[in-house]
Amino acid sequence: MSKFDRFVSDVKNGIKRKISSRRLKMLVSIEEFNLLSKKYFLDLNTDIKTFDFNVEASDKENILFILRVYYGLWIEIKELSITIHSEFPEKFELIKEVNKSNHYFTPKTFPKGTIMYSVGSAYSSSNGISGTSLWDNLNTIEGTDLIPSVQINYDFIKPIRK
């Protein structure tokens, strides 16, 4: 089951336990998830490629937490308008240079225009609210099955559609 299908199923059937992150200091209760689902996602189904909706400012932080962190979905945001994509992009293009001054944790500079690939964070160190784990190639680290990754913030990337 894809992440998007799991989200649609949980919207329709409810969740069994609260959604929380100690690191982000965020919590969405079962009751709050159900209220948000009824408020925003009644028309959601698995047959769609994108789902557009407007969110109230008071709900935005929890909606972003649910969609980006818990479900790992690709969403686009324009103020209070949100588009959920049923598929997470595999490739991105950097629209700004990524370097130590804007991503202090990056191991190297990635120039604007670099093609980056979506990879799982090897050590779960990515903050899904701010960015996603990417790398400029899909080569594994010698002697392991791990692909390096670094969190690139969302405002530095744009997806490359097939």
Side-chain angles (χ1 to χ4, degrees), residues 7 30 49 52 63 67 69 76-78 83 87 104 110 112 119 131-132 135 149-150 153 158:
F7 172 61
I30 294 170
K49 296 270 187 220
D52 299 305
I63 291 288
L67 297 175
V69 177
E76 294 176 3
I77 306 163
K78 290 186 178 98
T83 300
E87 294 182 17
Y104 71 89
F110 298 98
K112 178 181 175 180
V119 294
T132 189
W135 198 248
S149 67
V150 64
N153 293 340
K158 73 174 183 180

Side-chain angles (χ1 to χ4, degrees), residues 51-107:
F51 180 78
D52 299 305
F53 67 101
N54 291 317
V55 65
E56 293 178 15
S58 59
D59 294 331
K60 186 176 179 181
E61 187 175 7
N62 281 340
I63 291 288
L64 296 181
F65 173 64
I66 290 167
L67 297 175
R68 282 187 166 163
V69 177
Y70 187 69
Y71 289 100
L73 299 173
W74 179 254
I75 62 173
E76 294 176 3
I77 306 163
K78 290 186 178 98
E79 296 175 18
L80 297 178
S81 176
I82 298 176
T83 300
I84 303 172
H85 293 267
S86 62
E87 294 182 17
F88 199 92
E90 294 175 9
K91 292 197 280 188
F92 296 85
E93 180 182 349
L94 293 182
I95 57 175
K96 303 176 196 171
E97 180 178 273
V98 172
N99 56 47
K100 291 274 187 206
S101 67
N102 53 39
H103 287 72
Y104 71 89
F105 41 81
T106 189

